[in-house]
Structures are given as C-alpha cells and as structure tokens.
Amino acid sequence: MIEIGSEFAYADNQIYLNEDGLDWLPYGEDNIFTFSGRTAIETVLRDCDDFNKVLLPSYCCDSMIEPFRNKDADLNFYDVNYEGSFNIDIEIPADCQILLLCNYFGFKYNFPDEEIFKFKEKGGIVIEDITHSLLSEKQFHEFSDYLVASLRKWGPLLDGGFCSKKKGHFLEKPDKVVSSLYIEQKTRAMQLKEIYLQNEREELKKEYLKIFSWCNHYLAQNYSNTLISDNSKKMLKKWNIEEIRKKRISNAKVLYCGLHDISYIKPVFDEVSMDCPIFIPVIIKEDKRDNVRQKLIENSIYCPVHWPLPNDKCTSDLYDLELSLICDQRYDNSDMHQIIKILRGI
C-alpha cells in the first residue's frame, strides 16, 4: 500500500460487497439512521424526560459530550484509566438521571451490572455508545435503554449514525436532509484519495486532505436534527459484515503476534478479550507515544490517537498514553507486518 490508515477512499466502497442488508444492526422497538453519532445522541436526549445530572466516561470523544453540554446538563465523569491494565470505576451519584456507557475498541470487559440495575430500578436511564462494538458478536448490554453509534467509523460512508430505543417509540425524530454540498464535497475527497493511491500525485493529497477537513468541520457544526444520506444508507446495505469481521480479526492477530516482543509497547487489552476490533489500542511507554506516532507517519502509516482531551473536566491517563493501530478491512497481513517492522525499528 502507498499508505496505511487515514480517511477511506472511494474505491473502498467495492470491498466485500454482498447485499447483506441491515439485519446485523441491534434493533429495538424504534430505530433511526442519523447523519452522525452526535446526531444519534442528540436524538436520544430529546426523547428523555427533563434531566439535569448525567454521568459520562472520563475517557471519550468530545463529540459524545457535546449533545449533553448543549442540553445544559450537569456533567459528571466516572473514572476510566490504564493502571497496568484497563480499568473502569463507576460510582453512580444518587441524584444522577442518565448514565452513558461506552464500549472500547471492540473488546470484552465487565461493567458493574448490579449497580447499574439498581440505578435503573430507581428510574435511571442508560445510554450505551456501541460505536466500537458495532461489529462484535456482543454488540450491547441488556441493561441499556438506548443504543447510539457512529456508522461511518467502520467503512467508506459519506456520513451515518444510528440510534435505537429498546422499548417504545421516539417522540421526536430528525427531519432534515443532508446538505447536497456536503455530499458532493465528501464524495470528491474520497474520489481524489482513490486517484492518489493509484499514482501518488502530491497535489491531489493536499487537495483531498483540505476537503476532508472541510467536511469534518461541516459535520461538527451542522449535525443537529439530520437524517443519514440516501447514498450512505444504500452503501451500508451492501456491506458483507461477516467478511469485514474476519479480515479485521485476522489483521489484529498478526499485530498481537508481532507486538509480543516489542518492549516499549503493551496492548491495552489481552488478545483473548477481543471480539471485533475497530483498532488495536496500545500503550506506548516511556513518554514515547508522540515520537512513535510521528515515526509511523514518516513511513505513511497514519495511526490515530483516541482521543484528543475533551473540553471538560475529563481526567484519564489514556489520553497521553494510547495509540490506535490500524487493522481494518482495507489491509491484509502484509500491511500488518509493515506496521510491526516500523515499530521494531524505533
């Protein structure tokens, strides 16, 4: 590959097409396809009765917090840290009304089920962000009242989010159509990246990166009350989910094998807890995370950090330690060996 990671190209739309439909999604009694994951959270919050105090994970994306912030909620955070191992410590305040849970990277771990069920017995509402577990065998937990997800994180979609209500129907649903300008620009950016991957013309890369940046800014500013585009929903229906799962798991196993003897790197989760990974999160020791990431970039490997520190009182050591290794369906085992080769040479 010319490069590994970053935004999907338009040609990636042809990967593993199978007309699978949408039966693999975790449907409740009512379900909505939204413009983005942020829109999905916003839609759920509109459906909740008056609330004030909410409890969110201290390790998350600011886009997950923003819809709560826009509702002027009293934001509180439970601890999610890496203390030699991944650790979630949830203590629910007595006056809390909404609890947001988050799956991390498509791996299995335990929530304090007993405390969460007690919270629900008192009338508490549980929202679960299943973006990272969307392709897992266990997509969600039985105690969740609402599910939300960003669909576009998993493949070459122009846009896309999803929300589901386990019991009952949404009182208010998004009714805006995606801007045609956004669709045109995002399509153009993905097409330009496809051309770049075929012939490495640097002027094309500068152009498509500029357009992707515009699209991401547009989405952040215009996500409210908007439905998924017809283009993205049609493409989503064609995804061969089982083949995508197999490819990601196969790539992840190669990474785990190669990481075994690299002393400055430790996977956040053990391989045995893997379900279907969206990335392989690793801890970079000795304050080397940013240097390691830069060395990968110099070799055209673009591994993201999850996440930039949100604009609230979130405290987690993972913001400074974590790096997400690419394992998605665009790549094969040889690409994973290339990632390992670069990491071993640092």
Side-chain angles (χ1 to χ4, degrees):
M1 297 294 296
I2 293 173
E3 66 177 41
I4 297 173
S6 192
E7 300 275 5
F8 284 86
Y10 202 79
D12 297 327
N13 279 312
Q14 303 307 312
I15 296 175
Y16 303 128
L17 297 190
N18 197 45
E19 300 291 346
D20 264 8
L22 297 171
D23 292 345
W24 54 275
L25 286 164
Y27 296 113
E29 289 188 6
D30 201 8
N31 313 277
I32 305 172
F33 288 89
T34 62
F35 181 46
S36 70
R38 251 172 290 204
T39 319
I41 296 175
E42 175 197 61
T43 302
V44 166
L45 295 183
R46 285 180 176 177
D47 197 63
C48 296
D49 292 331
D50 290 340
F51 62 89
N52 178 37
K53 195 166 195 172
V54 300
L55 186 62
L56 314 176
S58 65
Y59 182 52
C60 67
C61 181
D62 192 70
S63 65
M64 295 166 61
I65 303 173
E66 183 178 354
F68 291 92
R69 192 187 296 128
N70 290 344
K71 297 284 282 188
D72 295 322
D74 177 8
L75 304 178
N76 298 265
F77 298 91
Y78 58 86
D79 291 335
V80 182
N81 287 292
Y82 184 84
E83 300 164 342
S85 62
F86 187 78
N87 183 59
I88 297 177
D89 185 13
I90 301 178
E91 294 183 10
I92 307 175
D95 56 347
C96 179
Q97 292 133 331
I98 292 180
L99 171 65
L100 176 68
L101 300 176
C102 179
N103 178 274
Y104 290 100
F105 300 99
F107 288 77
K108 304 168 189 173
Y109 48 85
N110 295 321
F111 286 112
D113 293 17
E114 185 176 347
E115 183 171 356
I116 293 172
F117 276 114
K118 287 180 180 178
F119 169 72
K120 284 174 60 68
E121 286 175 357
K122 295 188 297 182
I125 296 170
V126 178
I127 303 170
E128 185 175 0
D129 189 316
I130 61 166
T131 297
H132 285 194
S133 59
L134 199 59
L135 270 60
S136 293
E137 290 184 2
K138 182 177 175 60
Q139 294 171 298
F140 63 94
H141 292 81
E142 62 275 10
F143 45 62
S144 298
D145 300 295
Y146 296 91
L147 306 178
V148 296
S150 174
L151 303 171
R152 64 192 180 90
K153 302 295 195 302
W154 285 93
L157 299 178
L158 303 174
D159 60 294
F162 175 78
C163 58
S164 175
K165 185 174 183 178
K166 182 178 289 186
K167 295 181 180 179
H169 294 270
F170 286 99
L171 300 176
E172 186 178 347
K173 300 187 178 184
D175 57 13
K176 289 171 59 178
V177 177
V178 180
S179 159
S180 59
L181 176 61
Y182 172 88
I183 296 299
E184 291 167 4
Q185 290 298 306
K186 187 68 178 284
T187 301
R188 176 64 174 159
M190 293 172 71
Q191 289 172 334
L192 287 174
K193 181 166 183 181
E194 175 184 348
I195 297 170
Y196 167 77
L197 291 175
Q198 295 169 353
N199 58 31
E200 286 190 90
R201 289 166 52 192
E202 282 301 316
E203 69 274 13
L204 291 180
K205 184 169 188 176
K206 291 178 182 178
E207 185 176 354
Y208 75 67
L209 287 176
K210 183 178 179 180
I211 301 173
F212 274 130
S213 178
W214 180 91
C215 290
N216 290 332
H217 179 76
Y218 178 92
L219 184 147
Q221 299 298 317
N222 298 276
Y223 68 86
S224 184
N225 195 35
T226 305
L227 294 164
I228 192 172
S229 66
D230 290 340
N231 302 45
S232 288
K233 195 168 183 182
K234 288 177 183 177
M235 182 50 59
L236 189 64
K237 289 179 180 179
K238 297 180 180 180
W239 284 6
N240 186 326
I241 297 301
E242 192 53 39
E243 288 303 312
I244 293 173
R245 277 177 45 83
K246 287 179 181 178
K247 175 62 76 170
R248 285 177 171 270
I249 292 170
S250 173
N251 286 338
K253 288 180 177 179
V254 174
L255 289 178
Y256 267 98
C257 182
L259 292 171
H260 183 70
D261 58 355
I262 303 178
S263 61
Y264 68 90
I265 296 178
K266 183 178 180 181
V268 173
F269 302 101
D270 294 333
E271 184 178 356
V272 293
S273 65
M274 180 172 63
D275 197 327
C276 180
I278 191 166
F279 294 97
I280 302 301
V282 297
I283 298 297
I284 307 294
K285 304 175 185 177
E286 305 166 9
D287 297 323
K288 294 175 63 174
R289 197 271 304 273
D290 293 343
N291 290 336
V292 170
R293 189 184 186 202
Q294 183 57 41
K295 187 66 175 178
L296 289 167
I297 290 172
E298 290 170 6
N299 286 273
S300 299
I301 300 170
Y302 300 95
C303 293
V305 165
H306 284 87
W307 288 272
L309 186 65
N311 297 317
D312 279 287
K313 298 175 288 185
C314 294
T315 55
S316 172
D317 55 0
L318 284 154
Y319 292 113
D320 295 323
L321 297 173
E322 189 271 345
L323 184 67
S324 298
L325 302 184
I326 307 295
C327 65
D328 69 62
Q329 63 269 20
R330 291 174 285 181
Y331 310 110
D332 57 26
N333 289 178
S334 64
D335 298 307
M336 301 302 102
H337 286 299
Q338 176 65 10
I339 294 174
I340 294 297
K341 177 182 177 182
I342 301 303
L343 291 173
R344 282 185 174 153
I346 297 175

